[in-house]
Amino acid sequence: MVKLKILLVVVLICVTGQTEAACLTEDGDPCVFPFKDGSKSFSVCTKHNNRFWCSTKNKADGKYEKWGYCPEGGTCPLEGEITGPVSNCKTTSGKSCTFPFKTACVTTKGEKCVFPFTYKNVKYDACTEVDGGGRPWCSLATDEAGNHQRGKYGYCIMEVCKDPKHQAEHKECVAATNEGQEGKGWCATTVGEDETFIGWGYCQDPKCKDAAAAAAAAPAAANATAAANSTAPSLTPAALSRAACVTYWGHLFPPL
């Protein structure tokens, strides 16, 4: 009965077509999606003059009446970012993790840091707090001599910038490394075209693994085992199909 009520709520949301997103504007007002700006409809924060914004109140015809600036760095869906298929892994804010995703030292706006860079005759191979007002930053562009170009900088996301040279692909929540966040895990919520994470959040389950990736890996593991030991039983296509159906149904209706 409870699951039926949940299904009805989802159907109602789909029918009404207008929801208040989990993201809040810089003024603390919830974004309302979808919204119209002229003849265009948006289901994400859209960009104008290098700032992302969304509707906070719509008119009866769906056009925005009030608006606000969207914060960057993982709290809101931003135009141009890619969201993957719905995952069993969720962030503490309820967003679905996007797998796979790649890590790289990036800024809070999703821009890749450039290393090494030279600033005031000092060469840096990692983010620095020098002249950053206590916030670690990196260069986004250098000249031919490797000198930082003035104004081309961004504030580092230290979860992935402690070891700037390390890049990896992930299909599960990654252990947090920031001081005070030990024991937590995080994942991407949106990625760029090269799968490098842009939006992110801490996982509800710090060790959550993407079920879709695990399901895809299972047949490969079974084939490898069968090749090593021809007498070992292997899953039949029918069995794999049943397993996939059970997994998918579990995604739609997880135990409450």
Side-chain angles (χ1 to χ4, degrees):
M1 186 64 182
V2 174
K3 292 181 180 179
L4 179 58
K5 289 182 179 180
I6 293 174
L7 179 59
L8 289 174
V9 171
V10 173
V11 171
L12 285 173
I13 290 175
C14 293
V15 171
T16 55
Q18 178 173 311
T19 61
E20 288 193 355
C23 73
L24 303 178
T25 66
E26 293 178 355
D27 293 327
D29 299 316
C31 289
V32 175
F33 299 114
F35 66 89
K36 292 181 179 179
D37 180 18
S39 60
K40 292 184 177 180
S41 180
F42 298 93
S43 296
V44 296
C45 297
T46 186
K47 202 169 190 179
H48 178 69
N49 289 337
N50 293 319
R51 294 290 305 275
F52 288 98
W53 67 277
C54 69
S55 171
T56 55
K57 183 180 180 181
N58 286 353
K59 299 177 182 178
D61 60 1
K63 293 183 179 180
Y64 78 92
E65 181 175 342
K66 296 182 179 180
W67 63 278
Y69 285 119
C70 300
E72 299 179 38
T75 58
C76 290
L78 306 179
E79 190 175 32
E81 295 184 2
I82 301 171
T83 302
V86 175
S87 171
N88 57 295
C89 298
K90 308 293 182 184
T91 67
T92 53
S93 63
K95 289 188 175 183
S96 176
C97 293
T98 293
F99 296 110
F101 69 90
K102 296 177 182 178
T103 52
C105 185
V106 297
T107 70
T108 54
K109 293 186 177 181
E111 300 165 306
K112 287 186 178 180
C113 295
V114 174
F115 297 110
F117 66 89
T118 300
Y119 177 67
K120 291 186 175 179
N121 297 319
V122 177
K123 185 178 180 180
Y124 294 94
D125 291 303
C127 300
T128 178
E129 293 185 2
V130 175
D131 295 338
R135 298 178 65 185
W137 64 276
C138 69
S139 177
L140 300 177
T142 58
D143 60 21
E144 294 181 355
N147 295 306
H148 164 66
Q149 291 188 10
R150 186 175 182 179
K152 302 291 185 179
Y153 72 96
Y155 293 109
C156 302
I157 297 178
M158 292 311 296
E159 283 290 1
V160 290
C161 288
K162 288 190 175 181
D163 184 5
K165 294 182 180 180
H166 177 72
Q167 296 188 29
E169 182 177 279
H170 302 278
K171 297 179 181 178
E172 59 187 71
C173 293
V174 180
T177 57
N178 267 353
E179 185 177 352
Q181 305 299 331
E182 295 85 353
K184 293 183 178 181
W186 68 275
C187 69
T189 53
T190 57
V191 297
E193 292 183 357
D194 62 353
E195 293 188 346
T196 299
F197 86 99
I198 299 178
W200 67 284
Y202 288 112
C203 301
Q204 294 178 6
D205 176 2
K207 297 181 179 180
C208 186
K209 295 183 178 181
D210 184 44
N223 291 338
T225 302
N229 184 358
S230 60
T231 61
S234 59
L235 292 176
T236 65
L240 289 174
S241 178
R242 288 194 297 271
C245 289
V246 170
T247 300
Y248 182 69
W249 185 257
H251 288 171
L252 290 177
F253 297 99
L256 299 176

